[in-house]
Amino acid sequence: MDIKHEQPHRPSDDEHAQESWYFNWTDLEHDMFGLARTGFRYHDRQPEPLDLSITGNHPEFVFPAETVPQMTGNWDEIDAADGLMAGSMSVTMEEPFKRWRIKLNGANSMDLLFESFTPVFNYHAEGRKLAPSMTTNHFEQSCRVTGWIDFNGNKREINGFGQRDKSWGVRAWPDILGWDWISAQFEDKI
């Protein structure tokens, strides 16, 4: 997998063209699951950040996409190493295929570092295909996750595992009827 795929890609002409950086994490000590996504709908010039935290069986915090204004500037000027900005949320590539950081600033905040411990799994290697509405390109990687979150005045250190993925191309949300997916990490060894 070429490191250029960690960066934003030139969009196609399709109205459903988009790019997505997705991360999830678990922390057993705090009985917590979380996920974050920064997506960009190219032709609407619309960032789509999402941050969701669940403690026990209860949602604790949601940072929704509708609070974020349209993107300014040119796609060719975006560099993941400088941070992909979507409102008060940033996703930064510190080292391609090795280390990514997610930050949220404000009354609710976080700083999580994702460090990979597996190679990239390319969904399209060896001729595998996804449904056409689920994006043209997609890869995943397992990570160790450390850092902290401070949601609703409850600050906790995070030390767990997670998964990240990157996809780009056409994602036609209205055409997706369902999606079954699971990821699990057991220890940081291959």
Side-chain angles (χ1 to χ4, degrees):
M1 178 75 48
D2 193 305
I3 63 170
K4 70 181 180 184
H5 295 308
E6 290 278 56
Q7 295 285 355
H9 293 80
R10 184 171 297 280
S12 72
D13 292 334
D14 190 289
E15 66 177 317
H16 297 295
Q18 63 176 279
E19 193 123 9
S20 174
W21 290 261
Y22 169 87
F23 302 81
N24 68 42
W25 66 92
T26 59
D27 184 304
L28 296 178
E29 181 182 338
H30 297 104
D31 192 19
M32 170 175 274
F33 170 80
L35 64 86
R37 176 184 184 264
T38 294
F40 291 94
R41 291 192 328 255
Y42 292 115
H43 299 292
D44 295 335
R45 302 190 63 75
Q46 187 62 55
E48 293 182 320
L50 171 66
D51 185 12
L52 169 67
S53 168
I54 298 171
T55 302
N57 295 324
H58 305 287
E60 176 183 31
F61 175 74
V62 176
F63 177 74
E66 62 263 16
T67 61
V68 176
Q70 281 189 316
M71 188 192 120
T72 59
N74 189 328
W75 286 115
D76 296 336
E77 298 168 359
I78 296 175
D79 185 341
D82 294 334
L84 305 164
M85 305 301 296
S88 60
M89 185 174 162
S90 67
V91 176
T92 305
M93 177 182 62
E94 294 187 351
E95 185 178 350
F97 302 121
K98 297 288 184 191
R99 207 169 43 253
W100 284 77
R101 184 174 300 275
I102 302 173
K103 288 187 176 183
L104 184 65
N105 296 309
N108 292 294
S109 55
M110 71 178 183
D111 185 342
L112 295 177
L113 180 64
F114 287 73
E115 295 179 282
S116 66
F117 63 86
T118 65
V120 168
F121 177 81
N122 181 356
Y123 274 89
H124 299 281
E126 300 171 16
R128 290 185 294 264
K129 295 189 186 254
L130 292 173
S133 60
M134 291 304 296
T135 71
T136 310
N137 300 281
H138 186 119
F139 66 79
E140 299 209 17
Q141 195 169 33
S142 296
C143 302
R144 184 148 190 66
V145 184
T146 56
W148 56 267
I149 60 171
D150 188 353
F151 298 145
N152 304 311
N154 187 8
K155 186 169 184 176
R156 283 150 293 169
E157 296 294 319
I158 300 298
N159 186 3
F161 294 101
Q163 189 83 1
R164 78 175 193 100
D165 81 23
K166 169 84 185 304
S167 60
W168 64 98
V170 174
R171 177 173 283 160
W173 291 112
D175 296 339
I176 300 171
L177 301 177
W179 177 253
D180 294 320
W181 171 82
I182 187 169
S183 72
Q185 299 81 37
F186 299 99
E187 56 184 301
D188 57 352
K189 297 178 182 173
I190 297 176

